[in-house]
Amino acid sequence: MDAMCARARNEDTNESNGVVFAEVVKDGTVLPELVTGKEPRQSDEDEDSKDVKDFLTKLKQLDVSPEVAAIILVYFVQGVLGLSRLAVNFFLKDELNISPAMMTVLTGISTIPWLVKPLWGFLSDSVPLFGYRRRSYLFLCGVLGGLGWAGMATAVTEPKLAVAMLTLGSLGTAASDVVVDSIVVERARGEGQSKAGQLQSICWASAAVGGLVSAYFSGSLVQEYGTRYVFGVTALLPLLVAASALLVNEKRAEPSQIPDNTVQAAKDQGMKLWQAAKQKSIWVPTIFVFLWQATPTAESAMFYFTTNELGFTPEFLGRVRLVTSLASLAGIALYNFKLKDVPLKKMFFWTAITGTALGLTQLLLITGMNRQLGIDDRFFAMGDSLVLTVLGQLAFMPTLVLAAKICPPGLEATLFAGLMSVFNAGGVASGALGAGLTEYLGVTSTNFDNLALLVTLCNLSSLMPLPFLFLLNEVTDQPSNNEAGTDEVHGGFIVEEASQLDSVVGKDKRQ
């Protein structure tokens, strides 16, 4: 799922006071956060305790109507769709016999629907399908997603068809994410701050539970039943999204409510976006966001090394995914309860430095030095993944804060979606650069002679955006474009490896 975030500014221009789990500001509407406007400064311990108590209280108080049940179900499915991630990797590697570089390219292409999420939002808002703006699109998204994964389970025998089916599944997930976001926003507008906050909390929890469930079963199912079986199970999940459309409380749009000139409406919105994007305070930080995400990754090469060379089984990698999913939650909690007041430039600088240093520990696994130190490969890989995931999440959260800070009033939803598309495009560029570097160094499914060099170069490249930190001066020196004092959060937060989106965002480029 695509990430959006809370407003990150209070009266101190160097602090962010928003709990940031995912995307938020929609159509200029302020959605309340897990933690509402701050009281006079308390101790960190008191604030942390209050944050947790407020979150649990709002979960208990939520009134679950049929529509809320539909929202919860969609977010759960968004999280549990990560069930197929390991299956996709093993399928491409073992059944289609593609190289590490080609795997990176193919999975990057399949994430294209996430790069144009503003388009799905515009269509849902402006072009009713069979008289409905939400229900019909939600149903269609579920059907498309199911068809994509059903194709992977039954018909795919070559890479081109695999890309087509994976892209179709990604389209269903990305578009349904936009639609359910819109439903949440519309409900929040009609509720008080407390109830709206409850809804955001339960959405976040649903996605988190789905991600953990998928992580637990993803590896064991592949090992026990095979990849196509997992694809078949995954194909059933989007059908739950289609069924949830029946629970959405939406009135049929009257002809008078449908815009006469949709194309003109799109042009008008595009002009507003262009005028905003031309502002230096927006396009300069956007460049930094792209550069931050676009450094090359050796993730696919490491997957081939750990499975072909070290003999890691799908079941073990599933356990690693469970650990990293929990670690991702720990990283989010650590940021929100301990590091959210740290200035953005400082966070970017130290997460890059620390991440590069810790990322190089993978050289111990590649060279076998961990065994010389008496550390088993599996134990080392598990611990290394845990630490790097926490750090990767800490590096990711400030990016969401930065994107929220530069969105001007009146264009929050659309511009933020555009910024996240740029961020996702950086992820695709990261994969493409990593694939080219992998190919150039001759790293294949059987030849890992230059893998240590590849991992070293990818890690050191993470330092390349640091000289461009000055691009953030205007953002960190000026107040937020939104009014200070109220925090917001949206339910669909990113749990690492919980959905197809994590091949573009939220990933740890050192793995």
Side-chain angles (χ1 to χ4, degrees):
M1 216 175 343
D2 168 70
M4 305 271 283
C5 62
R7 183 189 312 147
R9 233 18 210 181
N10 62 9
E11 65 279 1
D12 184 341
T13 58
N14 283 327
E15 294 185 351
S16 69
N17 66 0
V19 171
V20 183
F21 286 129
E23 58 188 24
V24 247
V25 186
K26 294 276 188 172
D27 301 329
T29 301
V30 174
L31 299 183
E33 192 195 31
L34 303 182
V35 185
T36 57
K38 290 187 179 178
E39 299 296 331
R41 176 67 69 178
Q42 306 175 36
S43 68
D44 291 341
E45 291 78 8
D46 290 341
E47 286 189 4
D48 294 347
S49 177
K50 182 178 182 296
D51 290 351
V52 175
K53 289 179 180 178
D54 286 351
F55 174 70
L56 295 176
T57 299
K58 289 173 181 177
L59 286 181
K60 293 177 182 179
Q61 294 176 347
L62 184 66
D63 181 19
V64 181
S65 64
E67 185 173 69
V68 170
I71 293 171
I72 293 172
L73 180 60
V74 174
Y75 276 112
F76 175 79
V77 171
Q78 296 269 354
V80 84
L81 279 173
L83 180 71
S84 62
R85 177 168 181 179
L86 274 178
V88 169
N89 288 346
F90 276 101
F91 181 80
L92 295 177
K93 178 177 78 76
D94 296 332
E95 299 191 38
L96 298 188
N97 299 311
I98 65 174
S99 67
M102 185 56 65
M103 175 186 285
T104 303
V105 172
L106 296 185
T107 53
I109 293 174
S110 69
T111 60
I112 288 178
W114 290 96
L115 307 187
V116 290
K117 280 189 67 177
L119 174 61
W120 315 135
F122 172 76
L123 289 175
S124 177
D125 288 338
S126 306
V127 186
L129 189 63
F130 302 113
Y132 294 97
R133 289 186 170 89
R134 310 301 181 209
R135 298 177 66 177
S136 299
Y137 280 97
L138 202 58
F139 180 84
L140 180 60
C141 290
V143 172
L144 291 178
L147 289 175
W149 291 111
M152 288 294 294
T154 58
V156 173
T157 56
E158 51 95 21
K160 291 182 180 179
L161 188 55
V163 172
M165 293 297 102
L166 289 174
T167 303
L168 187 60
S170 182
L171 171 60
T173 305
S176 65
D177 180 58
V178 174
V179 175
V180 75
D181 288 346
S182 302
I183 296 172
V184 170
V185 170
E186 289 168 352
R187 282 192 63 90
R189 282 176 173 168
E191 302 284 358
Q193 178 170 307
S194 177
K195 288 188 177 181
Q198 294 167 20
L199 182 58
Q200 312 311 316
S201 301
I202 198 66
C203 290
W204 169 78
S206 301
V209 170
L212 293 175
V213 169
S214 72
Y216 182 80
F217 290 107
S218 60
S220 58
L221 288 178
V222 171
Q223 184 159 322
E224 192 71 25
Y225 300 103
T227 57
R228 290 189 185 272
Y229 176 87
V230 175
F231 295 148
V233 173
T234 306
L236 299 176
L237 299 174
L239 299 183
L240 296 176
V241 174
S244 69
L246 301 176
L247 302 177
V248 175
N249 183 20
E250 180 185 9
K251 294 181 179 180
R252 187 180 183 89
E254 299 296 332
S256 59
Q257 297 175 311
I258 301 176
D260 295 330
N261 193 338
T262 302
V263 175
Q264 184 59 44
K267 289 182 178 179
D268 293 342
Q269 186 73 354
M271 285 301 299
K272 292 180 181 179
L273 285 175
W274 174 244
Q275 292 299 323
K278 288 195 300 183
Q279 300 177 33
K280 185 179 179 181
S281 60
I282 293 178
W283 66 261
V284 170
T286 301
I287 292 176
F288 179 82
V289 167
F290 180 85
L291 295 175
W292 180 258
Q293 181 65 5
T295 55
T297 174
E299 185 177 8
S300 293
M302 282 300 297
F303 172 75
Y304 277 73
F305 175 75
T306 56
T307 53
N308 290 357
E309 188 73 10
L310 300 183
F312 288 0
T313 63
E315 183 178 11
F316 172 73
L317 291 179
R319 294 176 186 172
V320 174
R321 283 203 59 227
L322 177 59
V323 169
T324 55
S325 294
L326 291 170
S328 181
L329 294 177
I332 293 171
L334 178 60
Y335 179 83
N336 284 285
F337 296 140
K338 295 297 183 182
L339 300 174
K340 63 187 177 184
D341 292 333
V342 177
L344 289 180
K345 290 173 63 176
K346 188 174 182 179
M347 279 293 299
F348 280 121
F349 179 82
W350 285 110
T351 53
I353 296 294
T354 308
T356 298
L358 293 178
L360 290 173
T361 59
Q362 288 192 322
L363 297 177
L364 298 177
L365 188 65
I366 295 170
T367 60
M369 290 185 63
N370 62 290
R371 292 190 294 273
Q372 297 178 23
L373 297 173
I375 306 175
D376 180 75
D377 288 341
R378 286 172 171 77
F379 182 80
F380 182 88
M382 185 81 75
D384 195 50
S385 297
L386 187 153
V387 173
L388 291 179
T389 299
V390 172
L391 188 63
Q393 195 67 57
L394 292 179
F396 180 58
M397 301 303 281
T399 309
L400 300 179
V401 177
L402 173 63
K405 287 161 71 90
I406 65 177
C407 291
L411 287 174
E412 294 93 342
T414 307
L415 184 58
F416 198 101
L419 291 172
M420 289 298 98
S421 294
V422 172
F423 183 72
N424 296 345
V428 173
S430 170
L433 291 173
L437 198 55
T438 301
E439 188 75 18
Y440 177 76
L441 294 177
V443 177
T444 66
S445 59
T446 56
N447 183 3
F448 303 104
D449 293 342
N450 289 327
L451 179 59
L453 177 58
L454 173 64
V455 170
T456 300
L457 292 176
C458 289
N459 271 277
L460 294 179
S461 71
S462 297
L463 301 176
M464 293 176 64
L466 294 186
F468 299 95
L469 278 173
F470 73 91
L471 297 176
L472 305 183
N473 288 342
E474 289 192 23
V475 179
T476 56
D477 292 341
Q478 294 179 6
S480 169
N481 287 314
N482 298 311
E483 295 177 6
T486 305
D487 301 326
E488 320 94 27
V489 67
H490 182 70
F493 97 119
I494 289 185
V495 178
E496 182 154 349
E497 300 182 349
S499 73
Q500 288 294 321
L501 180 59
D502 58 10
S503 61
V504 187
V505 294
K507 68 178 183 214
D508 179 4
K509 289 182 285 201
R510 289 163 290 280
Q511 294 187 22

